[in-house]
Amino acid sequence: MTTMAPITSQEESVDPRDPLLRLTNFFDEGSMSLLHTRDKSGVQAAVGRVKGVRTISYCTDGTVMGGAMGVVGCAHIVNAIDTAIAEQAPIVGIWHSGGARLAEGVEALHAVGKVFEAMVRASGYVPQISVVVGFAAGGAAYGPALTDIVIMAPAGRVFVTGPDVVRSVTGEQVDMESLGGPLTHGKKSGVSHITADSEPDALWRARRLIGMFSQQGHFSRQRAEAGDTDLRALLPESNRRAYDVHPVVHGLLDTDLAADGETEISSFEEIQPKYAPNIVVGFGRLSGRSVGVVANNPLRMGGCLNSLSAEKAARFVRLCDAFGIPLIVLTDVPGYLPGVGQEWDGVVRRGAKLLHAFAECSVPRVTLVTRKIYGGAYIAMNSRALGATAVFAWPGSEVAVMGAKAAVGILHKKALAAAADDEREALHERLAVEHEAIAGGVGRAQSIGVVDEIIDPAKTRSIVAEALASAPARRGRHKNIPL
C-alpha cells in the first residue's frame, strides 16, 4: 500500500544530486508528498502536481552509491509505476544511476528486470517520461529506453558499457560524452527525444509534455479562425526550391508561454529534431487542443523518406495513437530515397513500420498535401487507403506515382530519343503537361476520392481543426514498443 510521508525542511540538501531537491524542482510548489520515507535504497519516489495534474515521479539518488539500483530501490520504482497505473496518472523518472548494485548480485538484476516489466505494463496506458540528468548506465540505460519520451540534460550519459569496458574489449578510444552524451543520442542513435539546455530546462520540458498528454483540451473554432493566415506564403515561389518546413508547422499551431511564464513561443515541442531530420515530428496545440504533427522537411534530402525517418515517424504515430492525440500530417515528398545503402539499411522493413502504424491508427488524423506527394511515400504518409480521416491539398499540388517529367521520360523514352535535339525539350514539356492532367494533378486525385478537398491555404488552420474536431475521439489499444 502506498504511504505518504511529509517533507521537512531539514531534509533538503545543497547537493545538486539530491533526489528531494530534484523532485521539488520538478513538481508544482508545495504539492509534493513522498511515497516512502527516505532511505539508502538509491531511489526516492513521490507524488505531486505538475501544472495542476496529479503526477507520480521517482528519482534515482546520485548521492548514494551513484544511484545504483538494488532490491529495495527497484521496489520503490515498481510501486511508483503501479501507483501511476492505479491512478491513471503520468509518471516521470529522473535518472542518475550507475546501474544494478554489484554487491547484491543477481538479486539486483532480477529487481531491475521487475522494473522493466512494470514499465511495459504501463506502456500505452499512462504517459512515461524519462529525464536523464546524470549517468544512466548498465541496466539503468534500458529504463529510459522503455519509456515514451527521453529527455537528456547536458550532464546526461546513457550507455550499456562504459568507455573502459569498450576500450578493453574492442580497443576503441572513446570518452563518456562521445559514447553516450546528449549529442550522440540526439543525433546519431535516436535514443534521446529532447536535448535540453540545462537540468532546469529538462525538467521544464517534461512538465510541458505532461500538459500535452494530460491536459489535451478541446478544439475552439473561434481560436482556429482567429489564427488563420496564409501558410502558403511561407513556401518559396518556385516549386523546385527546397524550404524548411518548421515555419509552416509553427504557423499552423498555437503559441504558448516559455518557462519564464511571460515570453510567447510556439507550442510545438519537436521530438528528435536532429535525428532523421528529413521528417519532423512533435507535439503542439491547434486551437487549444493537443495534436501530434508529422511533416516532411524538403530542406533535408529533399524531404525524401528513408529507413530512419520512416521508423522515427512510425514510433511517433503509435505514441500519439496510444494516448488519443489527433495527428496532422503535412506532406511534400518526392518518394523514398533510392540507393543500395537504403536497401541494405532495411528501408523495406522499416518503411513497412510506417505503413503499419498509420493503418493501425485509430485517432483522428488529417493529411495536407502542400506541394507534392509521389510514389510509395504517397501511401505511407497517411493516405486515404490507410484510413485517413481527411486528405486536403493546396491548389496546384501534385499527387502521382512520380513527377510528370520523370514519368514521361520513361513512358515516352523512344519518342523523346527520336525527336530533334532542338525540339526534344519542348516535346518533353508538352508531354509532361498532358501526363499531369491525366495522372498527376490534384484534381484527378480529388475526382477519384483520394483527396477530399482542395483548400484555401489561408484557411488551413480552421479547416484542419474542424476536420479533427468533427471526427469521433478515439484511442489506440496497444503498447508503445520502442521501434
Coordinates of all heavy atoms in Angstrom, one line a residue, residues 340-429:
V340 N 21.5 1.7 -52.9 CA 21.9 0.4 -52.3 C 22.0 0.5 -50.8 O 21.5 -0.4 -50.0 CB 23.3 -0.1 -52.8 CG1 23.8 -1.3 -52.1 CG2 23.2 -0.3 -54.3
G341 N 22.5 1.6 -50.3 CA 22.6 1.8 -48.8 C 21.3 1.7 -48.1 O 21.2 1.1 -47.1
Q342 N 20.2 2.3 -48.8 CA 18.9 2.3 -48.2 C 18.3 0.9 -48.1 O 17.7 0.5 -47.2 CB 18.0 3.2 -48.9 CG 18.1 4.7 -48.6 CD 17.8 5.0 -47.1 OE1 16.7 4.7 -46.6 NE2 18.8 5.4 -46.3
E343 N 18.5 0.2 -49.2 CA 18.0 -1.2 -49.3 C 18.7 -2.1 -48.2 O 18.1 -2.9 -47.5 CB 18.2 -1.8 -50.7 CG 17.5 -1.0 -51.8 CD 16.0 -1.0 -51.7 OE1 15.4 -1.8 -50.9 OE2 15.4 -0.2 -52.4
W344 N 20.0 -1.9 -48.1 CA 20.7 -2.7 -47.1 C 20.4 -2.2 -45.7 O 20.6 -3.0 -44.7 CB 22.2 -2.6 -47.4 CG 22.7 -3.3 -48.6 CD1 21.9 -4.0 -49.5 CD2 24.0 -3.4 -49.2 NE1 22.6 -4.5 -50.5 CE2 23.9 -4.2 -50.3 CE3 25.2 -2.9 -48.8 CZ2 25.1 -4.4 -51.1 CZ3 26.4 -3.1 -49.5 CH2 26.3 -3.9 -50.7
D345 N 20.0 -1.0 -45.6 CA 19.7 -0.5 -44.2 C 18.3 -0.8 -43.8 O 17.8 -0.4 -42.7 CB 19.9 1.1 -44.2 CG 20.1 1.6 -42.8 OD1 20.6 0.9 -42.0 OD2 19.6 2.8 -42.6
G346 N 17.6 -1.6 -44.6 CA 16.2 -2.1 -44.2 C 15.1 -1.1 -44.5 O 14.1 -1.1 -43.8
V347 N 15.2 -0.4 -45.6 CA 14.1 0.6 -45.9 C 12.8 -0.1 -46.2 O 11.7 0.4 -45.8 CB 14.5 1.5 -47.2 CG1 14.5 0.7 -48.5 CG2 13.5 2.7 -47.3
V348 N 12.8 -1.3 -46.6 CA 11.6 -2.1 -46.8 C 11.0 -2.5 -45.5 O 9.8 -2.3 -45.2 CB 11.8 -3.4 -47.7 CG1 10.5 -4.2 -47.7 CG2 12.2 -3.0 -49.1
R349 N 11.8 -3.0 -44.6 CA 11.3 -3.4 -43.3 C 10.9 -2.2 -42.4 O 9.9 -2.2 -41.8 CB 12.5 -4.2 -42.6 CG 12.2 -4.5 -41.1 CD 13.3 -5.4 -40.5 NE 14.6 -4.7 -40.6 CZ 15.0 -3.8 -39.7 NH1 14.3 -3.5 -38.7 NH2 16.3 -3.3 -39.9
R350 N 11.8 -1.2 -42.4 CA 11.5 0.0 -41.6 C 10.3 0.8 -42.2 O 9.5 1.4 -41.5 CB 12.7 0.8 -41.4 CG 13.7 0.2 -40.5 CD 15.1 0.8 -40.6 NE 15.8 0.7 -39.3 CZ 17.1 1.0 -39.2 NH1 17.7 1.6 -40.2 NH2 17.7 0.9 -38.0
G351 N 10.3 0.9 -43.6 CA 9.2 1.6 -44.2 C 7.9 1.0 -43.9 O 6.8 1.6 -43.8
A352 N 7.9 -0.4 -43.8 CA 6.6 -1.1 -43.5 C 6.1 -0.7 -42.1 O 4.9 -0.8 -41.9 CB 6.9 -2.6 -43.6
K353 N 7.0 -0.3 -41.2 CA 6.5 0.1 -39.9 C 5.6 1.3 -40.0 O 4.6 1.4 -39.2 CB 7.7 0.4 -39.0 CG 8.6 -0.8 -38.7 CD 9.8 -0.4 -37.8 CE 10.7 -1.6 -37.6 NZ 11.9 -1.3 -36.7
L354 N 6.0 2.3 -40.9 CA 5.1 3.5 -41.0 C 3.8 3.1 -41.6 O 2.8 3.7 -41.2 CB 5.9 4.5 -41.9 CG 5.2 5.9 -42.0 CD1 4.9 6.5 -40.7 CD2 6.1 6.8 -42.9
L355 N 3.8 2.2 -42.6 CA 2.5 1.8 -43.2 C 1.7 1.1 -42.1 O 0.5 1.4 -42.0 CB 2.8 0.8 -44.3 CG 3.4 1.3 -45.6 CD1 3.9 0.2 -46.4 CD2 2.5 2.2 -46.4
H356 N 2.3 0.3 -41.3 CA 1.5 -0.4 -40.3 C 1.0 0.6 -39.2 O -0.1 0.5 -38.8 CB 2.4 -1.5 -39.6 CG 1.7 -2.4 -38.7 ND1 1.2 -2.1 -37.5 CD2 1.4 -3.7 -38.9 CE1 0.7 -3.1 -36.9 NE2 0.8 -4.1 -37.7
A357 N 1.8 1.5 -38.8 CA 1.4 2.5 -37.8 C 0.2 3.3 -38.2 O -0.7 3.5 -37.4 CB 2.6 3.4 -37.5
F358 N 0.2 3.8 -39.4 CA -0.9 4.6 -39.9 C -2.2 3.7 -40.1 O -3.3 4.1 -39.8 CB -0.6 5.4 -41.2 CG 0.0 6.7 -40.9 CD1 1.2 7.1 -41.5 CD2 -0.6 7.6 -40.1 CE1 1.8 8.3 -41.3 CE2 0.0 8.9 -39.9 CZ 1.2 9.2 -40.5
A359 N -2.0 2.5 -40.7 CA -3.1 1.7 -40.9 C -3.8 1.2 -39.6 O -5.0 1.0 -39.6 CB -2.7 0.4 -41.7
E360 N -3.0 1.1 -38.6 CA -3.5 0.6 -37.3 C -4.1 1.8 -36.5 O -4.9 1.6 -35.6 CB -2.3 0.0 -36.5 CG -2.6 -0.4 -35.1 CD -1.4 -0.8 -34.3 OE1 -0.3 0.0 -34.4 OE2 -1.4 -1.7 -33.5
C361 N -3.7 3.0 -36.8 CA -4.0 4.2 -36.1 C -5.6 4.4 -36.0 O -6.2 4.4 -37.0 CB -3.3 5.4 -36.7 SG -3.3 6.9 -35.7
S362 N -6.0 4.8 -34.8 CA -7.5 5.0 -34.6 C -7.8 6.4 -34.3 O -9.0 6.8 -34.3 CB -8.0 4.1 -33.5 OG -7.4 4.3 -32.3
V363 N -6.9 7.3 -33.9 CA -7.2 8.7 -33.6 C -7.5 9.4 -34.9 O -7.1 9.1 -36.0 CB -6.0 9.3 -32.9 CG1 -5.7 8.7 -31.5 CG2 -4.7 9.4 -33.7
P364 N -8.2 10.5 -34.8 CA -8.5 11.4 -35.9 C -7.1 11.8 -36.5 O -6.2 12.2 -35.8 CB -9.3 12.6 -35.4 CG -9.9 12.0 -34.1 CD -9.0 11.0 -33.6
R365 N -7.0 11.8 -37.8 CA -5.7 12.2 -38.5 C -6.0 12.8 -39.9 O -6.6 12.1 -40.7 CB -4.8 11.0 -38.6 CG -5.5 9.7 -39.1 CD -4.6 8.5 -38.7 NE -5.4 7.2 -38.9 CZ -5.3 6.4 -40.0 NH1 -4.5 6.7 -41.0 NH2 -6.0 5.3 -40.1
V366 N -5.5 13.9 -40.1 CA -5.7 14.7 -41.3 C -4.4 14.9 -42.0 O -3.4 15.2 -41.4 CB -6.3 16.1 -41.0 CG1 -6.3 16.9 -42.2 CG2 -7.8 15.9 -40.5
T367 N -4.4 14.6 -43.3 CA -3.3 14.8 -44.2 C -3.5 16.1 -45.0 O -4.6 16.3 -45.6 CB -3.0 13.6 -45.1 OG1 -2.7 12.5 -44.3 CG2 -1.9 13.9 -46.1
L368 N -2.4 16.9 -45.2 CA -2.4 18.1 -46.0 C -1.3 18.0 -47.0 O -0.1 17.9 -46.6 CB -2.3 19.4 -45.2 CG -2.1 20.6 -46.0 CD1 -3.4 20.9 -46.9 CD2 -1.8 21.8 -45.1
V369 N -1.6 17.9 -48.3 CA -0.6 18.0 -49.4 C -0.3 19.4 -49.7 O -1.1 20.1 -50.2 CB -1.0 17.2 -50.6 CG1 0.1 17.1 -51.6 CG2 -1.5 15.8 -50.3
T370 N 1.0 19.8 -49.4 CA 1.3 21.2 -49.6 C 1.9 21.5 -51.0 O 1.6 22.5 -51.7 CB 2.3 21.7 -48.6 OG1 3.5 20.9 -48.7 CG2 1.7 21.7 -47.2
R371 N 2.7 20.6 -51.6 CA 3.2 20.7 -52.9 C 3.1 19.4 -53.7 O 2.6 19.5 -54.8 CB 4.7 21.1 -52.8 CG 4.9 22.6 -52.6 CD 6.3 23.2 -53.1 NE 7.4 22.4 -52.8 CZ 8.7 22.8 -52.9 NH1 8.9 24.1 -53.2 NH2 9.7 22.1 -52.6
K372 N 3.6 18.3 -53.2 CA 3.7 17.1 -54.0 C 3.7 15.9 -53.1 O 4.2 16.0 -51.9 CB 4.9 17.1 -54.9 CG 6.2 17.1 -54.2 CD 7.4 17.2 -55.1 CE 8.7 17.2 -54.4 NZ 8.8 18.4 -53.5
I373 N 3.2 14.8 -53.6 CA 3.4 13.5 -52.9 C 3.4 12.4 -53.9 O 2.4 12.2 -54.6 CB 2.2 13.3 -51.8 CG1 2.5 12.1 -51.0 CG2 0.9 13.4 -52.4 CD1 1.6 12.1 -49.7
Y374 N 4.5 11.7 -54.0 CA 4.8 10.8 -55.1 C 5.0 9.4 -54.5 O 5.5 9.2 -53.4 CB 6.0 11.2 -55.9 CG 6.0 12.5 -56.6 CD1 7.1 13.2 -56.9 CD2 4.8 13.0 -57.1 CE1 7.1 14.4 -57.6 CE2 4.7 14.2 -57.8 CZ 5.9 14.9 -58.1 OH 5.9 16.1 -58.7
G375 N 4.7 8.4 -55.4 CA 5.1 7.0 -55.2 C 4.6 6.4 -53.9 O 3.5 6.7 -53.4
G376 N 5.5 5.5 -53.4 CA 5.1 4.8 -52.2 C 5.0 5.7 -51.0 O 4.2 5.4 -50.1
A377 N 5.6 6.8 -51.1 CA 5.5 7.8 -50.0 C 4.1 8.4 -49.9 O 3.6 8.7 -48.8 CB 6.5 8.9 -50.1
Y378 N 3.4 8.4 -51.1 CA 2.0 8.8 -51.1 C 1.2 7.9 -50.2 O 0.4 8.4 -49.4 CB 1.5 8.8 -52.5 CG 0.0 8.6 -52.5 CD1 -0.9 9.6 -52.2 CD2 -0.6 7.4 -52.9 CE1 -2.3 9.4 -52.2 CE2 -1.9 7.1 -52.9 CZ -2.8 8.2 -52.5 OH -4.1 8.0 -52.5
I379 N 1.4 6.7 -50.3 CA 0.6 5.7 -49.5 C 1.0 5.8 -48.0 O 0.2 5.9 -47.1 CB 0.8 4.3 -49.9 CG1 0.4 4.1 -51.4 CG2 0.0 3.3 -49.1 CD1 0.8 2.8 -52.0
A380 N 2.3 5.9 -47.7 CA 2.8 5.8 -46.4 C 2.5 7.0 -45.5 O 2.3 6.9 -44.3 CB 4.4 5.6 -46.4
M381 N 2.3 8.2 -46.1 CA 2.1 9.4 -45.4 C 0.6 9.6 -45.1 O 0.0 10.6 -45.5 CB 2.7 10.6 -46.1 CG 4.2 10.6 -46.1 SD 5.0 10.7 -44.5 CE 4.6 12.4 -44.0
N382 N 0.0 8.7 -44.5 CA -1.4 8.8 -44.0 C -2.4 9.0 -45.2 O -3.1 10.0 -45.2 CB -1.6 9.9 -43.0 CG -2.9 9.9 -42.3 OD1 -3.4 8.8 -41.9 ND2 -3.5 11.0 -42.1
S383 N -2.3 8.1 -46.1 CA -3.2 8.2 -47.3 C -4.6 7.8 -47.0 O -4.9 7.2 -46.0 CB -2.7 7.4 -48.5 OG -2.7 6.0 -48.1
R384 N -5.5 8.1 -47.9 CA -6.9 7.7 -47.8 C -7.0 6.1 -47.7 O -7.8 5.6 -46.9 CB -7.7 8.1 -49.0 CG -9.1 7.5 -49.2 CD -10.0 7.8 -48.1 NE -10.3 9.3 -48.0 CZ -10.7 9.9 -47.0 NH1 -10.8 9.3 -45.8 NH2 -11.0 11.2 -47.0
A385 N -6.1 5.4 -48.4 CA -6.1 4.0 -48.4 C -5.8 3.4 -47.0 O -6.3 2.4 -46.6 CB -5.1 3.4 -49.4
L386 N -5.0 4.2 -46.2 CA -4.7 3.7 -44.8 C -5.6 4.2 -43.8 O -5.4 4.0 -42.6 CB -3.2 4.1 -44.5 CG -2.1 3.6 -45.4 CD1 -0.8 4.0 -44.9 CD2 -2.2 2.1 -45.5
G387 N -6.7 4.9 -44.2 CA -7.7 5.3 -43.3 C -7.7 6.7 -42.7 O -8.2 7.0 -41.7
A388 N -7.1 7.6 -43.5 CA -7.0 9.0 -43.1 C -8.4 9.5 -42.8 O -9.3 9.2 -43.6 CB -6.3 9.8 -44.1
T389 N -8.6 10.4 -41.8 CA -9.9 11.0 -41.5 C -10.3 11.9 -42.7 O -11.4 12.0 -43.1 CB -9.8 11.8 -40.2 OG1 -9.4 10.9 -39.2 CG2 -11.1 12.5 -39.9
A390 N -9.3 12.7 -43.2 CA -9.5 13.6 -44.3 C -8.2 13.8 -45.0 O -7.1 13.8 -44.3 CB -10.1 14.9 -43.9
V391 N -8.2 14.0 -46.3 CA -7.0 14.4 -47.0 C -7.3 15.7 -47.8 O -8.2 15.7 -48.6 CB -6.6 13.3 -48.0 CG1 -5.3 13.7 -48.8 CG2 -6.3 12.0 -47.3
F392 N -6.5 16.7 -47.4 CA -6.7 18.0 -48.1 C -5.5 18.3 -48.9 O -4.4 17.7 -48.7 CB -6.9 19.1 -47.1 CG -8.1 19.0 -46.2 CD1 -8.0 19.0 -44.8 CD2 -9.4 18.8 -46.7 CE1 -9.1 18.8 -44.0 CE2 -10.5 18.6 -45.9 CZ -10.3 18.6 -44.5
A393 N -5.6 19.3 -49.9 CA -4.4 19.7 -50.7 C -4.6 21.1 -51.0 O -5.7 21.7 -51.1 CB -4.4 18.9 -52.0
W394 N -3.4 21.8 -51.1 CA -3.4 23.2 -51.6 C -3.5 23.2 -53.1 O -3.1 22.2 -53.8 CB -2.1 23.9 -51.1 CG -2.1 24.2 -49.7 CD1 -3.2 24.2 -48.8 CD2 -1.0 24.6 -48.9 NE1 -2.8 24.6 -47.6 CE2 -1.5 24.9 -47.6 CE3 0.3 24.8 -49.2 CZ2 -0.7 25.3 -46.5 CZ3 1.2 25.3 -48.1 CH2 0.7 25.5 -46.8
P395 N -4.0 24.2 -53.7 CA -4.1 24.3 -55.2 C -2.8 24.1 -55.8 O -1.8 24.6 -55.4 CB -4.7 25.8 -55.4 CG -5.4 26.1 -54.1 CD -4.6 25.4 -53.0
G396 N -2.8 23.4 -56.9 CA -1.6 23.2 -57.7 C -0.7 22.1 -57.2 O 0.4 21.8 -57.9
S397 N -1.0 21.4 -56.2 CA -0.2 20.4 -55.7 C -0.3 19.1 -56.6 O -1.3 19.0 -57.4 CB -0.5 20.0 -54.2 OG -1.9 19.8 -54.1
E398 N 0.6 18.2 -56.4 CA 0.6 17.0 -57.3 C 0.5 15.7 -56.4 O 1.1 15.6 -55.4 CB 1.9 16.9 -58.1 CG 2.2 18.1 -59.0 CD 3.5 17.9 -59.7 OE1 3.7 17.0 -60.5 OE2 4.4 18.7 -59.4
V399 N -0.3 14.8 -57.0 CA -0.4 13.5 -56.4 C -0.2 12.5 -57.5 O -1.0 12.4 -58.4 CB -1.8 13.3 -55.7 CG1 -1.9 11.9 -55.1 CG2 -2.1 14.4 -54.7
A400 N 0.9 11.8 -57.4 CA 1.2 10.9 -58.6 C 2.2 9.8 -58.2 O 2.8 9.9 -57.1 CB 1.8 11.8 -59.7
V401 N 2.4 8.9 -59.1 CA 3.5 7.9 -58.9 C 4.8 8.5 -58.9 O 5.7 8.1 -58.1 CB 3.4 6.8 -60.0 CG1 4.5 5.8 -59.9 CG2 2.0 6.1 -60.0
M402 N 5.1 9.5 -59.8 CA 6.3 10.2 -59.8 C 6.1 11.6 -60.5 O 5.0 11.8 -61.0 CB 7.4 9.5 -60.5 CG 7.2 9.2 -61.9 SD 8.6 8.3 -62.7 CE 8.6 6.8 -61.9
G403 N 7.0 12.5 -60.5 CA 6.9 13.7 -61.2 C 6.6 13.5 -62.6 O 7.0 12.6 -63.3
A404 N 5.8 14.5 -63.2 CA 5.4 14.3 -64.6 C 6.5 14.2 -65.5 O 6.5 13.3 -66.4 CB 4.5 15.5 -64.9
K405 N 7.6 15.0 -65.4 CA 8.7 14.9 -66.3 C 9.4 13.6 -66.2 O 9.8 13.0 -67.3 CB 9.6 16.1 -66.1 CG 9.1 17.4 -66.5 CD 10.2 18.5 -66.7 CE 11.0 18.2 -68.0 NZ 12.0 19.3 -68.3
A406 N 9.6 13.1 -65.0 CA 10.3 11.8 -64.9 C 9.4 10.7 -65.5 O 10.0 9.8 -66.1 CB 10.5 11.6 -63.4
A407 N 8.1 10.8 -65.2 CA 7.2 9.7 -65.8 C 7.2 9.7 -67.3 O 7.3 8.6 -67.9 CB 5.8 9.9 -65.3
V408 N 7.2 10.9 -67.9 CA 7.2 11.0 -69.4 C 8.5 10.5 -69.9 O 8.6 9.9 -71.0 CB 6.9 12.5 -69.8 CG1 7.3 12.7 -71.2 CG2 5.5 12.8 -69.5
G409 N 9.6 10.7 -69.2 CA 10.9 10.3 -69.6 C 11.0 8.8 -69.7 O 11.7 8.2 -70.6
I410 N 10.2 8.1 -68.9 CA 10.1 6.6 -69.0 C 9.0 6.2 -70.0 O 9.3 5.3 -70.9 CB 9.8 6.0 -67.6 CG1 10.9 6.3 -66.6 CG2 9.5 4.5 -67.7 CD1 10.6 6.0 -65.2
L411 N 7.8 6.8 -70.0 CA 6.7 6.3 -70.8 C 7.0 6.7 -72.3 O 6.5 5.9 -73.2 CB 5.4 7.0 -70.3 CG 4.9 6.6 -68.9 CD1 3.8 7.4 -68.5 CD2 4.5 5.1 -68.9
H412 N 7.7 7.8 -72.6 CA 7.9 8.2 -73.9 C 9.3 8.3 -74.3 O 9.8 9.2 -75.0 CB 7.2 9.6 -74.1 CG 5.7 9.6 -73.9 ND1 4.8 9.1 -74.8 CD2 5.0 10.0 -72.8 CE1 3.6 9.2 -74.3 NE2 3.7 9.8 -73.1
K413 N 10.1 7.3 -73.8 CA 11.5 7.3 -74.0 C 11.9 7.3 -75.5 O 12.8 8.0 -75.9 CB 12.1 6.1 -73.3 CG 13.6 6.0 -73.3 CD 14.1 4.8 -72.5 CE 15.7 4.7 -72.6 NZ 16.2 3.6 -71.8
K414 N 11.2 6.5 -76.2 CA 11.6 6.3 -77.7 C 11.2 7.6 -78.4 O 12.0 8.0 -79.3 CB 10.8 5.1 -78.3 CG 11.4 3.8 -77.7 CD 10.7 2.6 -78.4 CE 11.2 1.3 -78.0 NZ 10.5 0.1 -78.6
A415 N 10.0 8.2 -78.2 CA 9.6 9.4 -78.9 C 10.6 10.5 -78.6 O 10.9 11.3 -79.5 CB 8.2 9.7 -78.5
L416 N 11.0 10.6 -77.3 CA 11.9 11.7 -77.0 C 13.3 11.5 -77.6 O 13.9 12.5 -78.1 CB 12.1 11.8 -75.5 CG 10.8 12.3 -74.7 CD1 11.0 12.0 -73.2 CD2 10.6 13.8 -75.0
A417 N 13.7 10.2 -77.7 CA 15.0 10.0 -78.3 C 15.0 10.3 -79.8 O 16.0 10.7 -80.4 CB 15.4 8.5 -78.1
A418 N 13.8 10.0 -80.4 CA 13.7 10.2 -81.9 C 13.5 11.7 -82.3 O 13.7 12.1 -83.4 CB 12.5 9.4 -82.4
A419 N 13.1 12.6 -81.3 CA 12.9 14.0 -81.6 C 14.2 14.7 -81.9 O 15.3 14.3 -81.4 CB 12.2 14.6 -80.4
A420 N 14.2 15.7 -82.7 CA 15.4 16.5 -83.0 C 15.9 17.2 -81.7 O 15.1 17.5 -80.8 CB 15.0 17.6 -84.0
D421 N 17.2 17.4 -81.7 CA 17.8 18.0 -80.5 C 17.1 19.3 -80.1 O 16.9 19.5 -78.9 CB 19.3 18.2 -80.7 CG 20.0 16.9 -80.8 OD1 19.4 15.8 -80.4 OD2 21.2 16.9 -81.2
D422 N 16.8 20.1 -81.0 CA 16.2 21.4 -80.7 C 14.7 21.4 -80.4 O 14.2 22.4 -80.0 CB 16.5 22.4 -81.8 CG 15.9 22.0 -83.1 OD1 15.5 20.8 -83.2 OD2 15.8 22.8 -84.1
E423 N 14.1 20.2 -80.5 CA 12.7 20.1 -80.3 C 12.4 19.2 -79.1 O 11.3 19.2 -78.5 CB 12.0 19.5 -81.5 CG 12.1 20.4 -82.7 CD 11.4 19.7 -83.9 OE1 11.0 18.5 -83.8 OE2 11.4 20.3 -85.0
R424 N 13.5 18.5 -78.6 CA 13.2 17.5 -77.6 C 12.7 18.0 -76.3 O 11.8 17.5 -75.7 CB 14.5 16.7 -77.3 CG 14.4 15.5 -76.4 CD 15.6 14.7 -76.2 NE 15.9 14.1 -77.5 CZ 17.0 14.3 -78.2 NH1 17.9 15.2 -77.8 NH2 17.3 13.7 -79.4
E425 N 13.3 19.1 -75.8 CA 12.9 19.7 -74.5 C 11.4 20.2 -74.6 O 10.7 20.0 -73.6 CB 13.8 20.8 -74.1 CG 13.5 21.4 -72.7 CD 13.6 20.4 -71.6 OE1 14.3 19.4 -71.7 OE2 12.9 20.6 -70.6
A426 N 11.1 20.9 -75.7 CA 9.7 21.3 -75.8 C 8.7 20.2 -75.8 O 7.6 20.3 -75.2 CB 9.5 22.2 -77.1
L427 N 9.1 19.1 -76.5 CA 8.2 17.9 -76.6 C 8.1 17.3 -75.2 O 7.0 16.9 -74.8 CB 8.8 16.9 -77.5 CG 8.1 15.5 -77.6 CD1 6.7 15.7 -78.1 CD2 8.9 14.5 -78.5
H428 N 9.2 17.3 -74.5 CA 9.2 16.7 -73.1 C 8.2 17.5 -72.2 O 7.4 17.0 -71.4 CB 10.6 16.8 -72.5 CG 10.8 15.8 -71.4 ND1 12.1 15.4 -71.0 CD2 10.0 15.2 -70.5 CE1 11.9 14.6 -69.9 NE2 10.7 14.5 -69.7
E429 N 8.3 18.9 -72.3 CA 7.5 19.7 -71.5 C 6.0 19.5 -71.9 O 5.1 19.5 -71.0 CB 7.8 21.2 -71.7 CG 9.2 21.6 -71.1 CD 9.2 21.6 -69.6 OE1 8.1 21.6 -69.0 OE2 10.3 21.7 -69.0

